Amino acid sequence: VPSLFGGLGRFVAPLFNRFVEGANTAKLAAVLKAATQRHRAEYPDDPQWLPTLVYDVKMTVPDADVEMLAKHLKELTHDLGCCRGVLVLSSSFAVANLPADASRQEFLGIADLTDSEAAELLDARLVAGGLESASVRAEVAQRVLALTARPSYLVHAASKVSARSTDEEQRRAAETFTKALTARALREVEVTLKLGEDAAKDR
């Protein structure tokens, strides 16, 4: 809460914690507006201040839930004007499923690692997870690094593989991960192409 509301953490925390589980928009908006009123009362020279609400979405969250969360954030930020919003997505593919709203949102992409950085991170995570076999780590790296150098995917892949007990199970886990990642990439391409077609029709 302090990172969300700055110095108002002590005031907002009790209210925020009451509504964070299953919060509806109206109740959360009331918390945000209370934070704004308190800040502006204490700092009258900063009348444009608004709290910033940050949603950090894990890669495993379904696309439909990401879209619903984006609409929820849009209602709080634009419709009600009670905060600024940041939606952090671990999956770049999820961006393709967000509502197209260029006038009210801005996408900021985080660059992938270099090939050597990606290989180093993946191997370190596999070792930390207890995968001692150099040959299995090499096979996992060959599969995963051919598809992605994104840190969140590398960490996720390492955790999936390291959770398996035998070499064969670890190989199968790597194969399952890469198939799932490929499927997500294909869905992103399909959605992107459809967005392009819809935009062309609207011209």
Side-chain angles (χ1 to χ4, degrees):
V1 173
S3 63
L4 183 65
F5 296 105
L8 297 173
R10 284 192 296 266
F11 167 72
V12 175
L15 292 173
F16 187 81
N17 291 335
R18 284 169 52 194
F19 302 126
V20 70
E21 293 294 336
N24 61 43
T25 301
K27 289 181 179 179
L28 185 53
V31 174
L32 295 167
K33 289 178 180 178
T36 301
Q37 292 172 359
R38 178 65 178 268
H39 178 92
R40 292 179 180 176
E42 292 187 7
Y43 303 96
D45 293 336
D46 191 14
Q48 302 302 315
W49 184 91
L50 286 172
T52 299
L53 185 59
V54 179
Y55 288 155
D56 192 350
V57 183
K58 293 183 178 180
M59 185 172 63
T60 53
V61 174
D63 293 339
D65 291 343
V66 174
E67 182 177 0
M68 180 179 65
L69 191 58
K71 290 179 178 178
H72 170 71
L73 196 59
K74 173 258 182 185
E75 186 175 359
L76 289 169
T77 56
H78 184 268
D79 298 348
L80 299 176
C82 56
C83 69
R84 295 182 175 88
V86 177
L87 188 61
V88 181
L89 299 173
S90 297
S91 169
S92 60
F93 304 134
V95 174
N97 294 313
L98 292 179
D101 195 357
S103 64
R104 292 179 293 190
Q105 64 188 15
E106 179 181 355
F107 293 120
L108 177 62
I110 306 300
D112 292 342
L113 301 175
T114 64
D115 290 345
S116 60
E117 289 171 338
E120 183 179 352
L121 173 61
L122 179 60
D123 193 65
R125 287 287 183 164
L126 290 171
V127 171
L131 206 166
E132 298 179 357
S133 172
S135 61
V136 174
R137 295 204 311 272
E139 290 181 40
V140 172
Q142 185 177 16
R143 283 184 177 276
V144 175
L145 295 176
L147 291 177
T148 184
R150 192 169 295 269
S152 59
Y153 292 151
L154 299 178
V155 172
H156 188 60
S159 67
K160 289 291 186 183
V161 173
S162 299
R164 304 301 178 181
S165 302
T166 68
D167 289 358
E168 185 57 33
E169 288 176 341
Q170 290 163 349
R171 291 187 178 95
R172 285 202 300 268
E175 181 180 3
T176 299
F177 174 84
T178 53
K179 285 182 178 178
L181 188 60
T182 300
R184 287 183 68 87
L186 290 174
R187 286 201 302 273
E188 180 187 25
V189 171
E190 291 174 0
V191 172
T192 302
L193 290 175
K194 186 178 185 306
L195 289 174
E197 292 172 357
D198 293 343
K201 291 177 183 178
D202 294 337
R203 293 194 187 103

